[in-house]
Amino acid sequence: MKAVTWQGKRDVRVEDMPDPRIQEPTDAVIRITSTGLCGSDLHLYEVLTPFMTPGDILGHEPMGIVEEVGPGVPDLAAGDRVVVPFQIACGNCWMCLTGLPTQCETTQVSSEGMGAALFGYTRLYGAVPGAQAEYLRVPQAQFGPIKVPEGPPDDRFVYLSDVLPTAWQAVEYAGVPQGGSVAVLGLGPIGDMACRVAQVRGAGQVLGVDLVSERLRRARARGVETFDIRSFDGEKELVSAIRDQTDGRGPDAVIDAVGTEAHGSAAARLAQAASAMLPRKISGPFAERFSIDRLAALYTAIDLVRRGGTISLSGVYGGMADPIPLLTLFDKQIQIRMGQANVRRWSDEIIPYLTDEDPLGVDDFATHRLPLSEAPRAYEMFQRKQDGAVKVLMTP
């Protein structure tokens, strides 16, 4: 089969790889019909290279058609149309039964001290072959895959793999009161969708912050009050402008949908670059112990949110030595919630919104659709924010 493989920093290639096969009774194999390019994939493309191995298959946002199932998968059959969540979970352990499949006790990558295994996402999460490919082996298929109806195009459902539940959880964790206010930092795919989810769930005021014209335009077209970072001299001016729109207090909640890709300190960039240049046996431990993030977005969120408000982190952070302003967090009595999205915890709540009325705008959410063979160009375009690329779907 053809698959997108990681070969080094900013180096992905489409190569011939072995076809997946059933290995365990709870496996399924699907033929992928659509697969997404996620902002998290850019972390592998750019900053998490110490945890990657040349030849790793990338991707974690697939949907497709079931080709084969193991004997331990009673509810799927060949021909079923499914969306596959980005995390691999059993559905039966204590963590799964309490709504935390990201912490699945069956698939936890205990050797790395991490939570549930993920498709296509570094050795820290199991180095499981990913979904930017023609076929995908799906472990724990008795729980993970979400069956969807025939008829509507893939765009209607493919975002159940990651974008929709991540945005949904971001809003849930933000605890926005009915009629309240929420600011979303970063209007990439997750931030954009988080704005839409907040609107349909009753937020009275949704404010979006970014510096990419196309992202700002998309959010503004859906009724989001947008703030272009480039229009302000600094963070304090931006924060002041948003406070002016929220009775001088700041928003009830702030969603940080940027994460470590934020434009931040030179020290963070230097540490990331240094770990990437070290020999592979050394670079991983160095990155785990000494890595720091670009925390500009998080610092802005802490400054911006009203006293007693909530910060919801959906952007990926990976640093182990990050300086956090605990005095400010304590003094402002700020609550913080974060973590990988628990896809199956939210999927049943989301599906009723995937109707022909399309209140979340999923049908035209993608800005680019490319064949899998053009994955290297897709990564470069998305990483450089060229040609108005906000969300890219690829077709094997």
Side-chain angles (χ1 to χ4, degrees):
M1 69 172 183
K2 297 292 186 182
V4 180
T5 64
W6 184 92
Q7 298 297 335
K9 184 176 181 178
R10 300 180 193 164
D11 183 3
V12 301
R13 305 174 194 173
V14 180
E15 298 189 321
D16 288 314
M17 301 294 287
D19 289 346
R21 57 182 180 83
I22 299 292
Q23 298 179 26
E24 301 291 340
T26 53
D27 285 353
V29 173
I30 71 165
R31 174 176 56 84
I32 294 173
T33 56
S34 290
T35 185
L37 175 54
C38 178
S40 297
D41 292 322
L42 296 184
H43 296 125
L44 314 182
Y45 191 67
E46 185 75 27
V47 300
L48 293 181
T49 57
F51 306 111
M52 299 294 290
T53 301
D56 283 349
I57 300 176
L58 301 173
H60 58 268
E61 296 187 348
M63 71 174 294
I65 306 299
V66 175
E67 293 281 301
E68 185 181 4
V69 297
V73 186
D75 296 327
L76 286 183
D80 285 343
R81 189 185 192 198
V82 296
V83 178
V84 180
F86 69 89
Q87 70 233 199
I88 302 167
C90 73
N92 295 314
C93 70
W94 187 89
M95 286 291 182
C96 287
L97 292 174
T98 53
L100 291 169
T102 56
Q103 311 304 323
C104 175
E105 293 169 320
T106 301
T107 71
Q108 279 180 14
V109 187
S110 55
S111 61
E112 301 289 346
M114 305 299 280
L118 309 179
F119 287 106
Y121 213 77
T122 82
R123 66 169 173 80
L124 296 178
Y125 288 99
V128 181
Q132 290 169 5
E134 293 180 311
Y135 294 91
L136 176 70
R137 171 181 167 252
V138 182
Q140 304 297 330
Q142 81 287 350
F143 175 67
I146 304 164
K147 286 198 282 190
V148 297
E150 297 294 335
D154 282 6
D155 293 53
R156 181 73 57 84
F157 304 112
V158 66
Y159 304 114
L160 283 168
S161 59
D162 184 352
V163 174
L164 279 167
T166 298
W168 193 274
Q169 180 172 291
V171 175
E172 178 75 19
Y173 281 8
V176 186
Q178 285 293 305
S181 57
V182 57
V184 179
L185 306 182
L187 297 174
I190 302 303
D192 186 343
M193 187 58 73
C195 289
R196 302 179 188 203
V197 170
Q199 288 172 324
V200 302
R201 295 188 61 179
Q205 190 176 22
V206 180
L207 311 107
V209 180
D210 208 295
L211 46 67
V212 180
S213 298
E214 175 62 18
R215 295 178 175 187
L216 291 160
R217 184 197 64 76
R218 277 167 56 101
R220 195 160 49 244
R222 295 189 67 89
V224 176
E225 187 175 353
T226 59
F227 295 80
D228 186 342
I229 297 173
R230 298 168 299 181
S231 301
F232 300 92
D233 291 335
E235 178 200 322
K236 291 189 179 299
E237 187 177 327
L238 169 67
V239 169
S240 178
I242 297 176
R243 282 182 179 158
D244 287 345
Q245 301 302 312
T246 53
D247 298 325
R249 288 187 295 270
D252 298 310
V254 176
I255 295 172
D256 174 359
V258 178
T260 194
E261 287 298 307
H263 297 272
S265 71
R269 290 194 295 272
L270 181 61
Q272 290 168 350
S275 65
M277 294 174 64
L278 291 171
R280 184 163 298 277
K281 289 185 178 180
I282 302 174
S283 62
F286 178 91
E288 287 182 77
R289 176 171 293 187
F290 299 112
S291 62
I292 56 178
D293 292 296
R294 308 175 193 181
L295 294 173
L298 178 57
Y299 290 154
T300 298
I302 293 169
D303 193 14
L304 178 59
V305 70
R306 70 163 170 81
R307 290 179 178 272
T310 301
I311 295 173
S312 173
L313 302 183
S314 63
V316 173
Y317 285 101
M320 293 291 284
D322 292 330
I324 301 296
L326 289 176
L327 173 62
T328 302
L329 291 169
F330 183 84
D331 179 65
K332 292 186 69 175
Q333 202 165 334
I334 294 170
Q335 302 178 72
I336 300 180
R337 295 197 70 182
M338 67 188 83
Q340 303 276 10
N342 298 287
V343 176
R344 291 309 304 267
R345 167 66 181 84
W346 312 115
S347 57
D348 288 347
E349 295 182 23
I350 297 168
I351 287 174
Y353 290 88
L354 304 181
T355 62
D356 288 342
E357 288 73 25
D358 193 20
L360 294 172
V362 294
D363 285 349
D364 59 359
F365 190 70
T367 55
H368 293 72
R369 294 171 179 80
L370 298 171
L372 192 70
S373 59
E374 295 187 30
R377 182 169 76 88
Y379 269 83
E380 182 178 10
M381 175 179 64
F382 190 35
Q383 195 266 347
R384 295 185 178 182
K385 300 178 177 64
Q386 296 173 335
D387 193 31
V390 177
K391 186 61 184 178
V392 180
L393 293 179
M394 294 183 286
T395 305

